[in-house]
Amino acid sequence: MPRIVETIVSTSDKDGNVHIAPLGLIAEGKHWIIAPFKPSKTLENLRAHPFAAASHTDDVRVFAGCVTGRKDWPLTPTAEIKGGRLADCLSHWELKVEDIIEDDLRPRFRCKIVHQEAHGAWQGFSRAQAAVLELAVLTTRLKMLPPEKVESELKYLEIAILKTASLQEEEAWGWLMEKITAWRGTLIKPVDLKG
Ligand SMILES: Cc1cc2nc3c(=O)[nH]c(=O)nc-3n(C[C@H](O)[C@H](O)[C@H](O)COP(=O)(O)O)c2cc1C
C-alpha cells in the first residue's frame, strides 16, 4: 500500500479565492497524488488553477472543523505558488499539478513539490489525534456505510479519546459527535406495531 499523508489541502478558484479541505495525499515515487471525489470544490479549483498547498498540522480541530462546517481557519499567502496555506501549521508543501489521470469517480492529480517550509516542531503522536482523524473520515462517509459499522467504530475510537485527549481533541470530537447525533436522527426507526 502507498503511504498516505492526511493534510489540509488549499486550492484557488479563477478569482484567487482559497478553499481548504482535508485530503489524503498519496505517495507515488517523488510525486504526491491528490484524488478528490467528483463533484468537489477541490477538484473544480485544481482544474481552474493547477496548484495546491498541503499544510501539515497537528491541530486536529482543523480536520474536524472542515468536515463540520467550520472552515474559517486563518490563512497566509504561499511563497512560490499563487494561493494560500494554513497560517498555523508545522510545515507545508507547495504543489504543482504535472498531469491528471482522469476517472469517472475520482480523478488523480499527480503533483510535484515546488517549495516546502517548516514552521514549528512536531510534538509526537497521540492516539486521540488519530481517533479524531478516523472519526472525521467516517463522518464524510455516513451515507455510504451501514449504521452498525459506524456505531462499532465509534465505540472503539472513543476509548482513545477517553484515555488520551487534550482540550483540542475534546473540542474536535465534540463537533464530530454533533454531526453523528444529527445523522442518527435521520435514520429510519422501525415501526412499533404493538405501540
Ligand atoms: C482525514 C481526511 C481525509 C480525506 N481525504 C479525502 C480524499 O483523499 N479525497 C476526497 O475527495 N475527500 C477526502 N476527504 C473528505 C473531504 O475533505 C470532504 O469531502 C470535502 O468536503 C471535499 O470536498 P470540497 O473540496 O468540495 O470541500 C477526507 C476527509 C478527511 C477528514
Side-chain angles (χ1 to χ4, degrees):
M1 291 294 282
R3 174 169 152 78
I4 298 182
V5 176
E6 307 303 341
T7 71
I8 301 299
V9 171
S10 39
T11 51
S12 306
D13 67 13
K14 61 176 174 40
D15 301 318
N17 300 305
V18 177
H19 172 84
I20 64 167
L23 273 96
L25 263 55
I26 307 159
E28 194 189 81
K30 286 188 178 164
H31 290 90
W32 289 93
I33 311 279
I34 305 178
F37 282 101
K38 282 186 182 176
S40 68
K41 186 70 185 164
T42 301
L43 175 64
E44 200 184 296
N45 282 358
L46 282 172
R47 291 205 194 277
H49 176 65
F51 295 88
S55 300
H56 306 299
T57 176
D58 59 359
D59 183 351
V60 291
R61 291 178 307 173
V62 187
F63 291 87
C66 284
V67 299
T68 57
R70 296 167 176 88
K71 287 216 169 189
D72 202 10
W73 299 95
L75 301 175
T76 194
T78 36
E80 298 290 331
I81 63 168
K82 195 167 139 260
R85 60 157 173 98
L86 285 184
D88 185 15
C89 65
L90 296 176
S91 64
H92 84 278
W93 297 335
E94 296 182 15
L95 301 154
K96 177 179 187 293
V97 177
E98 293 218 310
D99 51 73
I100 307 171
I101 302 126
E102 294 295 349
D103 184 81
D104 285 346
L105 205 64
R106 202 177 177 192
R108 292 161 68 90
F109 293 77
R110 213 153 65 98
C111 304
K112 177 175 107 175
I113 297 178
V114 291
H115 180 74
Q116 54 186 314
E117 273 178 48
H119 310 287
W122 182 56
Q123 305 293 323
F125 295 119
S126 121
R127 288 176 61 199
Q129 287 170 332
V132 169
L133 285 190
E134 286 300 324
L135 187 59
V137 173
L138 209 62
T139 67
T140 66
R141 298 183 182 162
L142 291 173
K143 287 188 187 134
M144 291 172 255
L145 295 170
E148 317 81 65
K149 183 169 167 65
V150 175
E151 296 295 350
S152 71
E153 296 211 0
L154 180 59
K155 213 168 157 187
Y156 175 70
L157 294 172
E158 199 176 23
I159 301 169
I161 295 297
L162 295 173
K163 287 188 177 168
T164 71
S166 72
L167 288 177
Q168 280 188 348
E169 287 94 51
E170 275 175 13
E171 190 173 19
W173 187 262
W175 295 341
L176 295 169
M177 283 309 298
E178 282 170 14
K179 189 168 171 181
I180 294 277
T181 304
W183 162 78
R184 282 176 178 148
T186 66
L187 298 174
I188 300 160
K189 311 259 178 344
V191 179
D192 184 357
L193 294 173
K194 287 184 222 144

